[in-house]
Structures are given as structure tokens and as C-alpha cells.
Amino acid sequence: MKTALARTWKLRTAPRIALLTVSLAVMACGTDPEADGGDDTVTGERGQPGDWTSYGRDFSNSRNNPLETAITPANVGTLVPKWSFTEGAVTSMPVVYDGVVYFGDWNARLHARDAKTGAEIWRAQVQEATPINQINNTPLVTEDTVYTGAQGALLAAYDRKTGALKWKNNIDSQMSLMLWSSPVLIDDTIIIGVGSFQVFLPANPPFRGSVVGVNAKDGTVKWQRFLTEGSGVSVWSTAAIDQTRKLAFIGTGQEYTTGASTPYSDAVIALRYETGEVAWATQFTVGDRFQAGRAEGPDHDVGAAPNLFEVNGAAWLGVGDKGGRYYALDRDTGRIIWKRELTLGGPNGGIMATAAYANGVIYVASNDGNTGGEAGVGGGPGACTIFALNAADGTTKWEVASKPGTFGALSVANGVLYAPSLAGEMRAYDVTTGARVWNVSIGMSMGAGVTVVNGMVYAGHGWVWAPVFPVPGGLVACGLP
């Protein structure tokens, strides 16, 4: 995904990043009778029943754990901290496989800890610890292997049980690269987007964004689909997979201010995941050219990951953009079926966090692009609104205002919606009414989504606009008394 950090780091940080660079000598619903909650692509789950082993939890990026039964709207308010990790900022969403939680941190380390007690099982230093070398994306865990991305388009694989390195590979050789997009595995191919912070630091040759298919066995690149002949189009988003159609769907960022325009910027694209061929692309904002010091466009990236769902047997795709709009599209053609304008968008607002889906309802948070200052971290969005949308037509079932804004993906489990906050709070809502049923402060601003597994809730914290090394923060695990 890019993770929440990926969709936000570029917003107000140009002067700070430039300074840093020089100094270095460099986020039970009511069932709708017209929206079917089933989907032929909700597979890709791994581990024990109820585990959460990838960013979206399943190929559809539902971010829904339907097998969670312990935590309910009635008792979620009694959750208390059980253990914590306090050795550095965490914007990598924790994932859980067979009783072990895995996550990365801003010291470029990958961690494996006992999910119930927090006891360390192993840790791996993926890269040297520097202000730039961070792990921002969410690990992907399989029976044998943990995959993670890092700075410089480094993709790495570790033995799940021991933490021994299996392979490392820089899957792109350009400058100023970061893998904010989280790895997704289909068959023996990892699908991941390549992003860049060159938006702050224009350079030659200019960065060109892409989506890459990587051999999961050895890390070699099977295919790479560049999305522009010009510059920009970073891919912060994480792919959703449709096995029936053999397609991967992923969002794309804006163009930079040099080179030719492209129909693949600010878009959702469908790639044939076996070859990388583009099946279709739907662009939401044409000619959006934005770079540090030169804003020729509104900066309406599609950084959120797409959600896949079905309505009356029809296969649809939903995704939001930084313009504050959520779209539903036909998965076969990319045709827009409906669109909702939720809040004012812009570089500091709109939909920057991936939505969750359950039982015919889309849960999405959209920041107000005109508010700032209350987030307390460099003047982030001061407010957002959380919406429950009918997947069939985009109409609102309920909405609730929230301050400050959010960059962390939403999550759903057993009738509870979880929403991280830039205030450093985990918040929970009853999916039927939108009533807040839990609120707990866990530390610094949260820049990643919440994971709910086996009666436990895991969330990282420690996000800041511009890294000042080391960044404090960590991870908190909460459970029932």
C-alpha cells in the first residue's frame, strides 16, 4: 500500500525532506438486500482460521475478519492493553499467522512476536537503520515465508519460523525509491507497486512509476509494467486480485511536472497478473501534474487499495481518491457504475486510507482538505468523516464526523468498525448505527490500519510528516479483560 504514510508523506514535506536529504548528503453491519456480501474472489486467506496475513486480509481487500467472534459491539469498550512494543515508529500494519504477529518499523527491522504475550521470537535487520531506510508497507505471510518491502525498492523474504534471510532483491534501479505498496501473492508471483519520494526532489532521469511481478521463490523480476513515458505516477496502492479473471487491480498516483502525460495517472488499472499486460484503465483526474514547488494539478492520487465486491451477482470494484470521491466500477470493463463525492479533497485531504467492506456495505473515511492544524503533526487534516455506503448505489447508510483526520486503513470484524486516528487513538464504531463504542489513546499519531484476530486488536503508532531519526512509537496489542 502504499501504507498511510505513503499516501501522506509527500503532502507538506518538500522543504523538510530536502533539508533531510542535504543533511544526509540526501489507515455486524446491516445486510442490504440489494447488495450481496458474497464474492468469488474472497480467497487468498492463509494461516489458521481467523488469521490476518496480508494488508487486505483477502484477495478482495475486504479488510474484514468474518471469523472474529470474541470482540463484539457490546464488549469492545472493555478492551485493555495487553502488551506493547516501544522501540520505534510502526506504520507497517501488523499481520498475524498462527499465533505470531509480524510487522516492520522505522528502524528498518522486521519483527516476529508472540501474538498473545508480545515475547520476541525473532527480528531481522532488513537494511541499515537510517532516517530514510524505513519499512512502511505491510508484510505478507505464508506458511514458510514473510515478505516485506523497504527503501530503494528492496523486496526481501525471510523464513517465517526462524527469521533467516531467504533472498533480497532491488526490483527497480531508479533513484529515490520506496515500496509503500504491500506485497500480494498469487500463484508464485508477488504483485507490488513501486513508489518514489522524487516528488520532493526533482532529478534526472525523472522517476517513472510501475507495477512489478516478482518470482516469490527467488525475488527475480518476472515482469515490470511502467505507467508513464513521462514522469511520476508513483504506485502507493496495494493490489486486489480476481482469480476468475486473472486480473490485479491497483491505484496510481499523479504525474510529475516533466514529460508527456499518461492515461494511467490518478487511475485504477487492471493488469493481467501473469504477464503485466494492461487489460483496462480508468482515469479519474486527467493531466494532474504535481511536484514540490510546482502544483499544476490538484494532487488527486489513488493511493487507497481497491475493494472487490459483488452486487446481485455482478463483479464490481470500489476505490477512493484524494479528491474525496469513492467510485464503483465494473471489473470487466472499468466502466464507472456510481460515484460519490464525500468531502473536499486536495493534497491534504480526501480518501487516503483504504476502505473496508462487509455484507453489502463500504466503510470509508474521507479527510476534509480544508482543515488543518488539529492533527498536531505538521498540520495534518483537522477533520474527516466516516461513511457507511450502500455498495449497490453509494447512498449513505450513516456518517459520523471525526477529528482529527485519518491516514490509516479501516477494518471490520464482528459488527465493529475500527478507525485509527492522527490523534494517536484507536476508535471503534458499531457498524449498524455508527455509534462510537470504544476509544483509547495508544501513543503518537497512527499511520496504519488496525488488525483484529482471535480477540486481540493490534495497532502501530509513531507516524510523523518528516522523519527526524529516530522516530519514537511502537505497537500496542489490546484484548478483553
Side-chain angles (χ1 to χ4, degrees), residues 409-448:
L410 304 187
S411 307
V412 175
N414 198 28
V416 182
L417 173 68
Y418 299 85
S421 165
L422 286 175
E425 295 175 340
M426 285 195 284
R427 298 169 179 174
Y429 302 83
D430 186 306
V431 300
T432 304
T433 65
R436 189 184 294 189
V437 289
W438 183 50
N439 188 87
V440 63
S441 177
I442 67 167
M444 292 183 63
S445 292
M446 300 174 67

Tab-separated table of all heavy atoms in Angstrom, residues 409-448:
chain	number	residue	atom	x	y	z
A	409	ALA	N	-5.863	2.676	7.288
A	409	ALA	CA	-6.963	1.934	6.688
A	409	ALA	C	-7.984	1.496	7.731
A	409	ALA	O	-7.643	1.225	8.879
A	409	ALA	CB	-6.421	0.717	5.945
A	410	LEU	N	-9.258	1.417	7.318
A	410	LEU	CA	-10.322	0.950	8.190
A	410	LEU	C	-10.364	-0.576	8.202
A	410	LEU	O	-9.901	-1.229	7.271
A	410	LEU	CB	-11.669	1.504	7.730
A	410	LEU	CG	-11.779	3.028	7.614
A	410	LEU	CD1	-13.225	3.428	7.327
A	410	LEU	CD2	-11.274	3.719	8.862
A	411	SER	N	-10.921	-1.126	9.271
A	411	SER	CA	-11.029	-2.579	9.426
A	411	SER	C	-12.381	-2.907	10.041
A	411	SER	O	-12.921	-2.126	10.835
A	411	SER	CB	-9.915	-3.127	10.324
A	411	SER	OG	-8.632	-2.722	9.884
A	412	VAL	N	-12.914	-4.098	9.688
A	412	VAL	CA	-14.205	-4.540	10.210
A	412	VAL	C	-14.061	-5.956	10.759
A	412	VAL	O	-13.364	-6.792	10.171
A	412	VAL	CB	-15.288	-4.533	9.117
A	412	VAL	CG1	-16.595	-5.117	9.632
A	412	VAL	CG2	-15.530	-3.128	8.597
A	413	ALA	N	-14.734	-6.214	11.891
A	413	ALA	CA	-14.785	-7.570	12.441
A	413	ALA	C	-15.970	-7.672	13.390
A	413	ALA	O	-16.068	-6.889	14.341
A	413	ALA	CB	-13.485	-7.922	13.172
A	414	ASN	N	-16.873	-8.602	13.116
A	414	ASN	CA	-17.949	-8.974	14.033
A	414	ASN	C	-18.787	-7.776	14.489
A	414	ASN	O	-19.046	-7.594	15.675
A	414	ASN	CB	-17.377	-9.701	15.249
A	414	ASN	CG	-18.429	-10.486	16.006
A	414	ASN	OD1	-19.420	-10.926	15.437
A	414	ASN	ND2	-18.204	-10.674	17.299
A	415	GLY	N	-19.187	-6.949	13.520
A	415	GLY	CA	-20.071	-5.839	13.846
A	415	GLY	C	-19.390	-4.598	14.357
A	415	GLY	O	-20.063	-3.647	14.775
A	416	VAL	N	-18.059	-4.574	14.359
A	416	VAL	CA	-17.308	-3.423	14.844
A	416	VAL	C	-16.430	-2.878	13.730
A	416	VAL	O	-15.724	-3.634	13.056
A	416	VAL	CB	-16.431	-3.786	16.063
A	416	VAL	CG1	-15.688	-2.559	16.574
A	416	VAL	CG2	-17.282	-4.399	17.181
A	417	LEU	N	-16.464	-1.563	13.534
A	417	LEU	CA	-15.590	-0.869	12.590
A	417	LEU	C	-14.480	-0.191	13.371
A	417	LEU	O	-14.747	0.553	14.327
A	417	LEU	CB	-16.383	0.180	11.802
A	417	LEU	CG	-15.567	1.104	10.893
A	417	LEU	CD1	-14.980	0.321	9.716
A	417	LEU	CD2	-16.412	2.275	10.405
A	418	TYR	N	-13.220	-0.437	12.974
A	418	TYR	CA	-12.052	0.131	13.647
A	418	TYR	C	-11.428	1.200	12.758
A	418	TYR	O	-11.167	0.963	11.568
A	418	TYR	CB	-11.032	-0.950	13.953
A	418	TYR	CG	-11.552	-2.026	14.878
A	418	TYR	CD1	-12.269	-3.114	14.376
A	418	TYR	CD2	-11.342	-1.959	16.253
A	418	TYR	CE1	-12.757	-4.100	15.218
A	418	TYR	CE2	-11.820	-2.939	17.110
A	418	TYR	CZ	-12.531	-4.003	16.580
A	418	TYR	OH	-13.016	-4.986	17.408
A	419	ALA	N	-11.177	2.390	13.349
A	419	ALA	CA	-10.639	3.509	12.587
A	419	ALA	C	-9.492	4.153	13.364
A	419	ALA	O	-9.709	4.728	14.438
A	419	ALA	CB	-11.729	4.538	12.322
A	420	PRO	N	-8.250	4.073	12.874
A	420	PRO	CA	-7.127	4.754	13.536
A	420	PRO	C	-7.223	6.258	13.330
A	420	PRO	O	-7.894	6.736	12.414
A	420	PRO	CB	-5.903	4.169	12.838
A	420	PRO	CG	-6.407	3.769	11.488
A	420	PRO	CD	-7.837	3.353	11.666
A	421	SER	N	-6.542	7.009	14.166
A	421	SER	CA	-6.638	8.465	14.137
A	421	SER	C	-5.269	9.110	14.226
A	421	SER	O	-4.357	8.584	14.854
A	421	SER	CB	-7.504	8.940	15.304
A	421	SER	OG	-7.361	10.327	15.527
A	422	LEU	N	-5.152	10.283	13.603
A	422	LEU	CA	-3.923	11.059	13.736
A	422	LEU	C	-3.730	11.587	15.148
A	422	LEU	O	-2.666	12.101	15.486
A	422	LEU	CB	-3.920	12.214	12.742
A	422	LEU	CG	-3.672	11.823	11.283
A	422	LEU	CD1	-3.808	13.031	10.375
A	422	LEU	CD2	-2.319	11.178	11.111
A	423	ALA	N	-4.749	11.475	15.990
A	423	ALA	CA	-4.597	11.857	17.395
A	423	ALA	C	-3.911	10.771	18.204
A	423	ALA	O	-3.696	10.931	19.402
A	423	ALA	CB	-5.969	12.150	18.001
A	424	GLY	N	-3.564	9.648	17.552
A	424	GLY	CA	-2.944	8.551	18.269
A	424	GLY	C	-3.951	7.705	19.019
A	424	GLY	O	-3.607	7.051	19.999
A	425	GLU	N	-5.191	7.705	18.546
A	425	GLU	CA	-6.251	6.948	19.186
A	425	GLU	C	-6.763	5.834	18.291
A	425	GLU	O	-6.891	6.016	17.078
A	425	GLU	CB	-7.433	7.860	19.533
A	425	GLU	CG	-7.121	8.908	20.566
A	425	GLU	CD	-8.274	9.855	20.800
A	425	GLU	OE1	-9.157	9.955	19.923
A	425	GLU	OE2	-8.292	10.499	21.853
A	426	MET	N	-7.063	4.680	18.885
A	426	MET	CA	-7.851	3.660	18.219
A	426	MET	C	-9.307	3.930	18.550
A	426	MET	O	-9.665	4.087	19.728
A	426	MET	CB	-7.452	2.256	18.679
A	426	MET	CG	-6.141	1.770	18.112
A	426	MET	SD	-5.912	-0.015	18.326
A	426	MET	CE	-5.487	-0.097	20.063
A	427	ARG	N	-10.147	3.975	17.516
A	427	ARG	CA	-11.565	4.240	17.691
A	427	ARG	C	-12.369	3.112	17.065
A	427	ARG	O	-11.976	2.551	16.042
A	427	ARG	CB	-11.943	5.578	17.069
A	427	ARG	CG	-11.232	6.754	17.714
A	427	ARG	CD	-11.394	8.038	16.942
A	427	ARG	NE	-10.709	9.139	17.630
A	427	ARG	CZ	-10.577	10.360	17.123
A	427	ARG	NH1	-11.068	10.637	15.930
A	427	ARG	NH2	-9.949	11.300	17.806
A	428	ALA	N	-13.493	2.793	17.691
A	428	ALA	CA	-14.336	1.718	17.189
A	428	ALA	C	-15.781	2.195	17.146
A	428	ALA	O	-16.230	2.948	18.023
A	428	ALA	CB	-14.215	0.472	18.063
A	429	TYR	N	-16.508	1.723	16.112
A	429	TYR	CA	-17.880	2.143	15.887
A	429	TYR	C	-18.762	0.917	15.666
A	429	TYR	O	-18.325	-0.080	15.060
A	429	TYR	CB	-17.966	3.059	14.653
A	429	TYR	CG	-17.110	4.296	14.757
A	429	TYR	CD1	-15.749	4.255	14.440
A	429	TYR	CD2	-17.644	5.503	15.187
A	429	TYR	CE1	-14.953	5.389	14.536
A	429	TYR	CE2	-16.862	6.646	15.283
A	429	TYR	CZ	-15.510	6.587	14.962
A	429	TYR	OH	-14.720	7.705	15.058
A	430	ASP	N	-20.011	1.005	16.107
A	430	ASP	CA	-20.999	-0.017	15.804
A	430	ASP	C	-21.361	0.110	14.326
A	430	ASP	O	-21.781	1.181	13.876
A	430	ASP	CB	-22.241	0.190	16.672
A	430	ASP	CG	-23.257	-0.921	16.518
A	430	ASP	OD1	-23.663	-1.201	15.373
A	430	ASP	OD2	-23.664	-1.504	17.535
A	431	VAL	N	-21.192	-0.963	13.543
A	431	VAL	CA	-21.387	-0.855	12.104
A	431	VAL	C	-22.839	-0.625	11.720
A	431	VAL	O	-23.138	-0.179	10.616
A	431	VAL	CB	-20.849	-2.090	11.360
A	431	VAL	CG1	-19.369	-2.270	11.592
A	431	VAL	CG2	-21.622	-3.342	11.743
A	432	THR	N	-23.784	-0.923	12.601
A	432	THR	CA	-25.193	-0.736	12.291
A	432	THR	C	-25.622	0.713	12.437
A	432	THR	O	-26.379	1.233	11.610
A	432	THR	CB	-26.067	-1.612	13.215
A	432	THR	OG1	-25.664	-2.967	13.088
A	432	THR	CG2	-27.536	-1.482	12.847
A	433	THR	N	-25.091	1.403	13.448
A	433	THR	CA	-25.558	2.754	13.759
A	433	THR	C	-24.507	3.841	13.573
A	433	THR	O	-24.847	5.020	13.468
A	433	THR	CB	-26.036	2.810	15.215
A	433	THR	OG1	-24.902	2.585	16.088
A	433	THR	CG2	-27.101	1.762	15.476
A	434	GLY	N	-23.239	3.470	13.574
A	434	GLY	CA	-22.175	4.461	13.553
A	434	GLY	C	-21.827	5.010	14.915
A	434	GLY	O	-20.959	5.883	15.038
A	435	ALA	N	-22.467	4.514	15.967
A	435	ALA	CA	-22.166	4.990	17.323
A	435	ALA	C	-20.759	4.567	17.737
A	435	ALA	O	-20.360	3.420	17.514
A	435	ALA	CB	-23.184	4.436	18.309
A	436	ARG	N	-20.009	5.496	18.347
A	436	ARG	CA	-18.670	5.142	18.825
A	436	ARG	C	-18.798	4.281	20.069
A	436	ARG	O	-19.489	4.653	21.027
A	436	ARG	CB	-17.848	6.385	19.123
A	436	ARG	CG	-16.377	6.053	19.415
A	436	ARG	CD	-15.556	7.263	19.816
A	436	ARG	NE	-15.403	8.225	18.736
A	436	ARG	CZ	-14.572	9.280	18.796
A	436	ARG	NH1	-13.835	9.476	19.879
A	436	ARG	NH2	-14.507	10.125	17.790
A	437	VAL	N	-18.126	3.131	20.052
A	437	VAL	CA	-18.240	2.184	21.163
A	437	VAL	C	-16.917	1.945	21.873
A	437	VAL	O	-16.872	1.217	22.863
A	437	VAL	CB	-18.827	0.837	20.673
A	437	VAL	CG1	-20.297	0.994	20.334
A	437	VAL	CG2	-18.056	0.291	19.467
A	438	TRP	N	-15.832	2.547	21.368
A	438	TRP	CA	-14.531	2.399	22.033
A	438	TRP	C	-13.612	3.491	21.572
A	438	TRP	O	-13.637	3.914	20.403
A	438	TRP	CB	-13.930	1.031	21.707
A	438	TRP	CG	-12.624	0.714	22.385
A	438	TRP	CD1	-12.337	0.837	23.711
A	438	TRP	CD2	-11.433	0.195	21.765
A	438	TRP	NE1	-11.042	0.420	23.970
A	438	TRP	CE2	-10.471	0.015	22.792
A	438	TRP	CE3	-11.102	-0.153	20.461
A	438	TRP	CZ2	-9.192	-0.470	22.532
A	438	TRP	CZ3	-9.836	-0.634	20.192
A	438	TRP	CH2	-8.890	-0.800	21.227
A	439	ASN	N	-12.792	3.971	22.468
A	439	ASN	CA	-11.806	4.991	22.144
A	439	ASN	C	-10.667	4.866	23.142
A	439	ASN	O	-10.887	4.935	24.346
A	439	ASN	CB	-12.429	6.382	22.229
A	439	ASN	CG	-11.493	7.461	21.724
A	439	ASN	OD1	-11.471	7.734	20.544
A	439	ASN	ND2	-10.740	8.075	22.607
A	440	VAL	N	-9.437	4.645	22.656
A	440	VAL	CA	-8.305	4.530	23.566
A	440	VAL	C	-7.084	5.174	22.932
A	440	VAL	O	-6.827	5.020	21.733
A	440	VAL	CB	-8.009	3.055	23.917
A	440	VAL	CG1	-7.619	2.263	22.694
A	440	VAL	CG2	-6.935	2.952	24.998
A	441	SER	N	-6.351	5.945	23.711
A	441	SER	CA	-5.114	6.557	23.253
A	441	SER	C	-3.989	5.544	23.380
A	441	SER	O	-3.807	4.931	24.445
A	441	SER	CB	-4.788	7.797	24.083
A	441	SER	OG	-3.558	8.353	23.685
A	442	ILE	N	-3.228	5.358	22.281
A	442	ILE	CA	-2.140	4.381	22.326
A	442	ILE	C	-0.766	5.009	22.163
A	442	ILE	O	0.247	4.311	22.251
A	442	ILE	CB	-2.327	3.291	21.258
A	442	ILE	CG1	-2.174	3.864	19.849
A	442	ILE	CG2	-3.660	2.599	21.419
A	442	ILE	CD1	-2.031	2.804	18.791
A	443	GLY	N	-0.707	6.321	21.894
A	443	GLY	CA	0.604	6.931	21.741
A	443	GLY	C	0.584	8.034	20.706
A	443	GLY	O	-0.326	8.870	20.681
A	444	MET	N	1.573	8.028	19.826
A	444	MET	CA	1.689	9.052	18.803
A	444	MET	C	0.705	8.798	17.675
A	444	MET	O	-0.038	7.818	17.668
A	444	MET	CB	3.116	9.087	18.256
A	444	MET	CG	4.150	9.572	19.242
A	444	MET	SD	5.782	9.662	18.493
A	444	MET	CE	5.521	10.900	17.211
A	445	SER	N	0.708	9.687	16.685
A	445	SER	CA	-0.189	9.579	15.544
A	445	SER	C	-0.100	8.210	14.892
A	445	SER	O	0.990	7.637	14.757
A	445	SER	CB	0.149	10.658	14.505
A	445	SER	OG	-0.151	11.937	15.003
A	446	MET	N	-1.244	7.711	14.451
A	446	MET	CA	-1.308	6.401	13.819
A	446	MET	C	-1.297	6.575	12.300
A	446	MET	O	-2.060	7.372	11.753
A	446	MET	CB	-2.573	5.663	14.248
A	446	MET	CG	-2.650	5.442	15.750
A	446	MET	SD	-4.225	4.721	16.259
A	446	MET	CE	-4.078	3.083	15.507
A	447	GLY	N	-0.443	5.812	11.624
A	447	GLY	CA	-0.334	5.911	10.172
A	447	GLY	C	-0.629	4.615	9.458
A	447	GLY	O	-0.324	4.479	8.280
A	448	ALA	N	-1.208	3.638	10.154
A	448	ALA	CA	-1.503	2.343	9.530
A	448	ALA	C	-2.817	1.818	10.069
A	448	ALA	O	-3.367	2.344	11.044
A	448	ALA	CB	-0.376	1.340	9.807
